[in-house]
Amino acid sequence: MLATTGRFFADKFRKVLPDSFIFAILLTFIAALMAWGFVGAKPFGIVQAWYKGFWILLAFAMQMVLILVTGYAIAISPPAEKFLDWLAARVKSPVAVYGVVTLLGCIFSLISWGWIVLTAVLGRELARRVKKVDYRLLAACVYTAFLPWHGGLSGSIPLVLNTPNNFLIKAKVLSETIPTTITLLSPMNIVVSLGLLIVLPALMIMMRPSDEQVVEYNDMVDEEHKTMKPISVAEEAESLKLSETNLSDALNNSILIMIIICLGGVWFLIHHFWTKGFDVNLDIMNFLFITVGMICHKTPFRYVIAMKRSCSNVSGIVLQFPFYAGIMGIMIHTGLGKAIALWIAGAATVGTFPFISFLIGGVVNIFVPSGGGEWAVVGSTIIEAANTLGANMAPEQLTSFISRCSMAVAYGDSWTNMIQPFWTLAFFPVIAAGTKMQARDIMGYTFVSLIASFFVFAICVTWLPV
C-alpha cells in the first residue's frame, strides 16, 4: 500500500515540480502578489523590499557552504571510509539500508542540522555497495531524516529564545530568556523526537519498491562519470609531488604542521564545551568540522585536495540563497509575514493556538525556508498572541504556553521542508554528484513523510504537556 502510494506521488511530483531555482522564482512572484493584494504594498515598494532582503543571508550562505564542504571533506577521509566499510559489512539488504540511513540521519539531525551532509555521504556509499537499493527513495530517506532537526541541539527557535538580549527581549515582547530545559528537554519535544525516530524509518522501509521497479545508483550515474577512475585524496597528493626532494613538498605534506594547528583547534573546542556546556551553533560546528577534517587527512595538502573536491558542487547555495533572502525581505519589509500570522491566529483560543502556531510555521516556511529567518518574521507575533491569550495564567504557566507555541512554529518549519526543495541544496551536491538525479525525483516520497509526520506533530503540540 505505502509502496504504491510513494510511487504514485513520486511520479506526480516528478512531472510537476520544477528545478529548485525556478521554484524560488515562482515563490518570489507569489510573495510579491500577496504583498500587493493583502497588505496594499506599492509595486516599487515590493521591489525595494525584495532588494533589501537580497543580501541579508550572505553570512548564513557562507556558513552553509562551509557546513557542506567541511562535512564532505570529513566524509572522504580515510577514517570515514573505514567506518563505511565496517558499516557496509553489516548492512547488507535494501531494507536495512533504508532503515539505517533514516534512523542515523534523524539522530544526526538532532545533533546538528548540518550533519545532513554526513547522512548523504552514508546513504551514497551504502547505495554503491548494497544491491537493489532504490537510489531515489534513498535520497528521500536522507531528506526525511531532516525532519527532527528543529527539536534538536541546533534548533534555531529554542536557541534564540535562550539567547540573552535576543531580538524579542529587545522589542520587549519577552521579559527574559526561556531556557532549553523548557523547550528542547520538555516532555513534548522528547516525545516528538522519539516518535519521529520510530515512525520515519518504518515509513521509508514500507515505501520500498519491488525489485523490478528499483532504480539503483549505477542506473542514475552519468556516462562520463562512469568512465572516470576515482583515486583517493592521498593518491592524488602523492602524484603531485616533484620527483626530487624539495622544501615545498616537505611543507605541503608535513604532518607536524597539521598537528600544531589541530592542537590549537582542539584546545579551543575543549575550552568552549567545558565552559559553556553543549553550546552548539553554526560557527562552532564549522570550526569543529574543519578541525576534525584536518586531523582525518593528516597533512595540509591532502586537506586542500579534499576541500577542492568538496567545493565542486555548491552552485545551488550560491545562486539560490539571495533569492530566498529576497522573499524574506518582502515578508519582513512589507509586513506580509506578520499579516499572514495575524490572519491565521485571528480566531485562536488557548487550546487551539499551539496547533495554529504549527500551521503558521508550516505556511511561512514555504516562503522563508530558514528557521531563524522565519522566527524573525513571525516570532514577535506568536509571542504577543500567546501573551494575550494567556493573560490570566500564572507566570510559570505562561512561560510554558509560550514555549509550546514557539516549538510548534519550529515543528511547522521542519514539517513543510518535505514539500519545499530549498534544503535539498544542503545535501544534493553530495548525494546527486555524478548522477542524473534531481530534487523532483524525491519530493513525492517526502510528501508522504509530510503526511505521516503531520500526525506526530499535531497530536503532540495539541495534547502533550510542555
Side-chain angles (χ1 to χ4, degrees):
M1 175 65 179
L2 273 176
T4 303
T5 303
R7 189 168 64 253
F8 171 80
F9 285 116
D11 290 340
K12 295 298 181 184
F13 272 74
R14 200 172 291 121
K15 293 174 182 176
V16 302
L17 191 70
D19 182 81
S20 55
F21 178 51
I22 306 301
F23 194 80
I25 293 175
L26 294 177
L27 284 177
T28 302
F29 294 159
I30 293 171
L33 289 172
M34 290 174 67
W36 174 67
F38 290 174
V39 297
K42 302 296 182 183
F44 188 64
I46 296 172
V47 173
Q48 287 179 311
W50 179 59
Y51 178 78
K52 282 181 183 178
F54 215 75
W55 311 114
I56 60 179
L57 291 181
L58 285 181
F60 184 51
M62 185 60 184
Q63 289 173 319
M64 272 295 300
V65 168
L66 282 172
I67 279 283
L68 174 62
V69 299
T70 56
Y72 189 56
I74 294 172
I76 60 176
S77 68
E81 290 178 353
K82 289 179 181 177
F83 169 73
L84 288 170
D85 288 335
W86 175 86
L87 189 62
R90 289 156 178 80
V91 180
K92 298 180 179 180
S93 70
V95 170
V97 170
Y98 303 136
V100 166
V101 169
T102 308
L103 178 62
L104 287 181
C106 287
I107 295 171
F108 289 162
S109 292
L110 287 170
I111 297 171
S112 170
W113 64 262
W115 284 22
I116 191 174
V117 177
L118 302 184
T119 310
V121 172
L122 174 65
R124 180 183 175 96
E125 292 305 314
L126 287 178
R128 291 171 61 181
R129 301 169 191 228
V130 181
K131 299 297 183 184
K132 294 299 181 180
V133 171
D134 189 279
Y135 201 53
R136 298 169 300 180
L137 177 59
L138 184 69
C141 290
V142 175
Y143 203 25
T144 292
F146 193 48
L147 267 166
W149 87 270
H150 219 145
L153 298 174
S154 64
S156 300
I157 291 175
L159 292 184
V160 167
L161 290 173
N162 193 37
T163 300
N165 206 30
N166 63 66
F167 73 93
L168 293 166
I169 294 176
K170 288 181 179 178
K172 301 188 185 306
V173 177
L174 274 180
S175 59
E176 58 185 4
T177 59
I178 297 178
T180 52
T181 51
I182 300 178
T183 52
L184 296 182
L185 296 181
S186 67
M188 180 184 74
N189 191 55
I190 291 172
V191 172
V192 166
S193 300
L194 290 175
L196 294 175
L197 284 170
I198 295 169
V199 169
L200 297 180
L203 177 72
M204 303 314 289
I205 289 172
M206 287 189 286
M207 279 198 289
R208 68 189 185 279
S210 58
D211 287 350
E212 61 271 13
Q213 294 170 326
V214 166
V215 177
E216 294 187 77
Y217 168 79
N218 287 331
D219 298 326
M220 303 201 77
V221 174
D222 287 329
E223 290 302 318
E224 180 183 349
H225 193 75
K226 284 182 180 179
T227 60
M228 295 171 57
K229 183 180 179 182
I231 63 171
S232 69
V233 170
E235 288 171 337
E236 183 176 346
E238 191 66 28
S239 71
L240 294 173
K241 286 183 179 180
L242 299 177
S243 56
E244 69 277 1
T245 303
N246 61 87
L247 178 61
S248 61
D249 279 341
L251 293 173
N252 287 343
N253 298 281
S254 170
I255 295 177
L256 178 61
I257 288 177
M258 209 61 142
I259 289 174
I260 294 171
I261 192 67
C262 289
L263 282 174
V266 170
W267 190 1
F268 174 81
L269 288 167
I270 291 173
H271 178 267
H272 172 84
F273 291 118
W274 183 267
T275 57
K276 298 184 179 180
F278 204 78
D279 178 18
V280 178
N281 55 49
L282 281 176
D283 292 335
I284 288 297
M285 287 307 304
N286 278 322
F287 191 75
L288 175 65
F289 277 21
I290 289 171
T291 304
V292 171
M294 290 191 296
I295 292 171
C296 289
H297 284 284
K298 295 184 180 179
T299 72
F301 200 47
R302 289 184 192 178
Y303 192 58
V304 167
I305 293 170
M307 289 293 283
K308 187 187 299 183
R309 293 187 183 186
S310 304
C311 287
S312 61
N313 290 291
V314 296
S315 59
I317 292 175
V318 173
L319 172 63
Q320 293 184 41
F321 258 70
F323 282 87
Y324 277 103
I327 296 172
M328 184 174 165
I330 294 173
M331 299 286 283
I332 293 174
H333 297 299
T334 66
L336 176 62
K338 191 168 186 176
I340 291 174
L342 288 171
W343 174 66
I344 297 177
T349 65
V350 170
T352 62
F353 191 58
F355 177 70
I356 290 174
S357 299
F358 167 69
L359 295 180
I360 290 172
V363 171
V364 176
N365 178 63
I366 299 294
F367 297 92
V368 187
S370 160
E374 177 176 350
W375 193 235
V377 173
V378 303
S380 60
T381 302
I382 296 294
I383 301 299
E384 286 173 353
N387 277 323
T388 300
L389 291 168
N392 296 324
M393 295 179 179
E396 296 81 6
Q397 288 179 308
L398 180 58
T399 299
S400 294
F401 183 59
I402 291 171
S403 300
R404 176 191 293 276
C405 297
S406 301
M407 289 304 297
V409 176
Y411 300 146
D413 168 76
S414 299
W415 176 55
T416 50
N417 281 334
M418 296 299 100
I419 54 171
Q420 160 54 281
F422 175 76
W423 286 109
T424 61
L425 297 174
F427 74 96
F428 248 60
V430 175
I431 200 82
T435 74
K436 297 172 284 188
M437 189 163 61
Q438 302 175 52
R440 63 184 180 181
D441 292 321
I442 74 168
M443 299 306 290
Y445 294 114
T446 59
F447 178 71
V448 180
S449 302
L450 174 112
I451 296 172
S453 61
F454 169 82
F455 295 100
V456 176
F457 288 131
I459 291 170
C460 290
V461 301
T462 304
W463 287 296
L464 284 184
V466 174

